[in-house]
Amino acid sequence: MAQAAGPPRTVLITVDDDPAVSRAVARDLRRRYGESYRVVRAESGESALEALRELKLRGDPVAVIIADYRMPAMSGIEFLEQAIDIYPDARRVLLTAYADTGAAIDAINVIDLDHYLLKPWEPPEEKLYPVLDDLLEVWRAADHRRVAVTKVVGHRWSARSSAVREFLARNEVPYRWYSSDDPEGRRLLAAAGEDGRRLPLVVTPDGTALVAPADRDLAARVGLATTPAADFYDLVIIGGGPAGLGAAVYGASEGLRTVLVERSATGGQAGQSSRIENYLGFPDGVSGAQLTDRARRQAAKFGAEILTAREVTGLEVGGAARVVRFADGSAIAGHAVILATGVSYRQLDAPGAAELTGCGVFYGSALTEAAACQGQDVYIVGGANSAGQAALFLARSAKSVTLVVRRPSLAATMSHYLVQQVEEAPEISVRANTVVEAAHGEHQLERLTLRDTESGGSELVDAQWMFVFIGAAPRTDWLEGTVLRDSRGFILTGPDLAPEGRLPAGWELDRPPYHLETNVPGVFVAGDARAESAKRVASAVGEGAMAVMLAHRYLEQS
């Protein structure tokens, strides 16, 4: 069995344009430190800088940099000046001849040199090793432990930077955020050869640098599955919210070859919820992320395959097979399909909102932005449960949270337990009979125009953060011409397709559609995308399980 790779060893790097001297330095370093440190040698300042940039992107620690003073293209001092920008904490040593000691002494102030060594340094036990031992002890005194996480360099008000952070967070990919204005962020940009005009920069744990990557490219690089393992399955589930995950758990656990396809991140809208308190079996509540993670691991345990960042664009009938087509032109097929595509938040129809999306205007809870809201005034648009859960979560750190509600009160759209908690939270206020008329800001959200629907009066308020929860639109446009939907785009099933016992047009079987079956035999729907569904996490999970049961019945009769 192959041994798992351990953490990378700390690097000692030496650069000298004289090959003989370069080999001698590396030889002496390896003799004393080779078991604990990795020794890297270079024969020019530029090649050494290139090596440092690669080490930086991989996150490998560098403890000591040793450079010869006299090099033709770039002196040791010039090299160390640039090396400081990449590894500011590394100890710096200059190799000099006796005639250059004056320059070496000056370099102590110019580049904060830690030590200079006269050539030759024989014997190393007396002239080299004691110096390096002291420098390594100083370096080890600070915490330089490498954390193998994805690094994201972006700007606070960059919409794509925000989207990448949300994508990684919702897919449970550990990452570390660096502002492009921070020193470490600038160092990572420089190491990748970027000037900060294209953001975000994503550096994966293996050192790969991705500039403003698309979700699918990002998913593949951080270890998420994006390519199906097979061409044909018993059950294809489209959508990874509670309904889809529930179907994946029950389908795989009952022996069906199951694949779940998700276009962004598993969990759906529920996965973005900061707290779900009315889900059976969790009396103290559970976050959407926790529930999603448990369901995803449970589905994987039973053998369900989960594909991320794959957008489905078409559904076709090919004899007994149901063919699912992807945006890149590829396809998979299955005996049965469950549509669990869920819904997305409706876009706010107000001037300025579209332009500022991701730059202060967010749809859904955007929990990755919560820390930046500390001590600030936050506006939440909407009056349903998701808005109330977000308000309670953000109120923990925000200066104030204002719920902007079109209706006269929260009672008609929010669960009673949430209404009570909102009313008891001193940081939360409710502006009823109010709508957002406009969002203002040049590069980020700065102000909102709020209009009172009763009096007609408008008010301009300062705002840097607005989270929008204003109803749901089904993600079903791609089913046009194949699966029947109602006027709002929700999918029709079962009795709605066969009123008074009449079979839907084109239906080829001698039985009516099952309760969750669409007008295409073998294609089922579960969760919020179904017409007249309950729009609750528990009901979505239940429908996912029921859809699997009906798919089994369909397969047995096919």
Side-chain angles (χ1 to χ4, degrees):
M1 180 180 292
Q3 295 295 316
R9 290 186 297 171
T10 299
V11 173
L12 311 179
I13 187 166
T14 173
V15 52
D16 197 305
D17 68 303
D18 185 329
V21 176
S22 176
R23 287 193 294 270
V25 177
R27 178 201 63 212
D28 287 344
L29 291 177
R30 291 190 179 105
R31 184 189 304 166
R32 174 70 170 243
Y33 305 105
E35 290 187 4
S36 302
Y37 295 88
R38 177 185 167 204
V39 177
V40 175
R41 73 180 185 93
E43 295 183 1
S44 72
E46 188 54 51
S47 63
L49 288 172
E50 183 177 347
L52 286 172
R53 294 186 188 104
E54 292 178 3
L55 292 167
K56 185 70 175 180
L57 291 176
R58 289 203 301 265
D60 293 356
V62 174
V64 177
I65 304 172
I66 303 173
D68 184 50
Y69 172 61
R70 286 188 178 272
M71 293 187 292
M74 179 188 299
S75 74
I77 293 176
E78 292 171 332
F79 161 71
L80 288 171
E81 279 186 298
Q82 297 187 50
I84 292 172
D85 293 333
I86 305 173
Y87 279 97
D89 296 329
R91 303 293 94 186
R92 295 173 286 280
V93 178
L94 194 66
L95 296 179
T96 68
Y98 182 78
D100 299 321
T101 54
I105 293 171
D106 292 339
I108 293 175
N109 296 321
V110 174
I111 59 171
D112 195 20
L113 190 68
D114 293 293
H115 202 91
Y116 68 89
L117 288 171
L118 293 178
K119 297 187 295 185
W121 54 87
E122 297 293 340
E125 288 79 9
E126 294 181 10
K127 297 184 178 181
L128 177 63
Y129 298 152
V131 171
L132 290 185
D133 287 345
D134 289 342
L135 293 178
L136 289 170
E137 184 178 352
V138 171
W139 185 85
R140 285 193 300 264
D143 187 359
H144 298 285
R145 289 172 298 180
R146 180 181 185 266
V147 180
V149 297
T150 296
K151 303 180 183 72
V152 181
V153 182
H155 192 274
R156 178 181 176 184
W157 301 117
S158 160
R160 185 56 191 158
S161 296
S162 176
V164 164
R165 293 173 66 191
E166 189 78 2
F167 177 85
L168 293 174
R170 293 189 60 201
N171 280 292
E172 301 287 330
V173 177
Y175 74 91
R176 182 169 290 173
W177 165 259
Y178 300 92
S179 170
S180 57
D181 298 327
D182 292 340
E184 184 65 12
R186 291 196 296 268
R187 282 191 282 271
L188 287 168
L189 286 168
E194 292 293 322
D195 58 10
R197 284 183 289 185
R198 298 189 300 164
L199 293 174
L201 168 71
V202 179
V203 182
T204 62
D206 65 358
T208 302
L210 308 171
V211 181
D215 284 354
R216 186 179 175 189
D217 294 334
L218 180 58
R221 289 292 188 174
V222 298
L224 300 174
T226 61
T227 304
D231 296 325
F232 198 92
Y233 296 85
D234 293 323
L235 180 64
V236 179
I237 303 165
I238 304 173
L245 287 169
V249 168
Y250 284 97
S253 68
E254 294 177 14
L256 296 178
R257 291 172 298 166
T258 301
V259 62
L260 183 151
V261 182
E262 167 56 45
R263 71 185 186 99
S264 179
T266 51
Q269 285 189 340
Q272 296 178 282
S273 176
S274 57
R275 202 80 181 157
I276 302 170
E277 295 191 68
N278 59 351
Y279 189 70
L280 183 67
F282 292 89
D284 297 321
V286 62
S287 73
Q290 290 172 320
L291 191 63
T292 297
D293 178 58
R294 293 181 182 187
R296 182 169 49 206
R297 287 190 286 113
Q298 193 174 15
K301 182 188 78 170
F302 287 120
E305 185 180 338
I306 298 177
L307 304 181
T308 305
R310 294 304 301 264
E311 184 174 1
V312 176
T313 57
L315 175 65
E316 301 171 3
V317 177
R322 304 294 178 255
V323 181
V324 173
R325 297 209 171 273
F326 297 120
D328 64 358
S330 62
I332 57 175
H335 289 300
V337 171
I338 294 177
L339 304 173
T341 51
V343 294
S344 58
Y345 290 110
R346 295 187 185 278
Q347 303 296 293
L348 184 65
D349 186 18
E355 294 80 0
L356 294 171
T357 298
C359 302
V361 177
F362 301 94
Y363 290 85
S365 58
L367 297 181
T368 54
E369 304 295 335
C373 299
Q374 185 171 357
Q376 300 193 35
D377 299 314
V378 177
Y379 286 80
I380 295 177
V381 184
N385 280 6
S386 52
Q389 290 160 352
L392 291 167
F393 178 75
L394 292 169
R396 299 175 188 174
S397 57
K399 179 182 177 183
S400 70
V401 175
T402 303
L403 274 166
V404 179
V405 184
R406 180 186 294 270
R407 294 174 181 264
S409 73
L410 297 172
T413 53
M414 190 178 292
S415 295
H416 178 67
Y417 80 95
L418 271 177
V419 174
Q420 287 183 310
Q421 292 181 27
V422 166
E423 291 176 345
E424 293 170 0
E427 301 85 1
I428 302 176
S429 60
V430 179
R431 293 189 61 150
N433 299 311
T434 303
V435 296
V436 175
E437 198 166 56
H440 312 277
E442 186 173 353
H443 301 294
Q444 66 195 64
L445 179 64
E446 298 172 358
R447 292 174 299 279
L448 294 172
T449 299
L450 304 180
R451 178 170 58 85
D452 188 306
T453 56
E454 287 193 323
S455 67
S458 296
E459 179 185 359
L460 189 65
V461 298
D462 292 331
Q464 281 190 310
W465 304 94
M466 178 172 67
F467 299 91
V468 182
F469 304 82
I470 54 170
R475 298 169 177 163
T476 59
D477 291 345
W478 59 277
L479 292 168
E480 179 67 34
T482 303
V483 173
L484 294 178
R485 301 171 297 152
D486 66 14
S487 59
R488 297 178 299 161
F490 291 95
I491 301 172
L492 298 171
T493 62
D496 293 331
L497 291 168
E500 300 178 0
R502 295 193 302 271
L503 298 179
W507 185 261
E508 299 176 353
L509 303 181
D510 57 2
R511 62 164 177 82
Y514 294 135
H515 180 67
L516 298 179
E517 195 169 21
T518 69
N519 62 296
V520 179
V523 176
F524 303 85
V525 62
D528 292 356
R530 184 177 65 83
E532 306 302 326
S533 63
K535 308 296 188 293
R536 288 291 185 268
V537 176
S539 61
V541 172
E543 287 190 5
M546 183 184 294
V548 170
M549 180 193 72
L550 296 174
H552 258 301
R553 188 181 299 174
Y554 165 79
L555 294 173
E556 289 168 357
Q557 296 176 355
S558 297

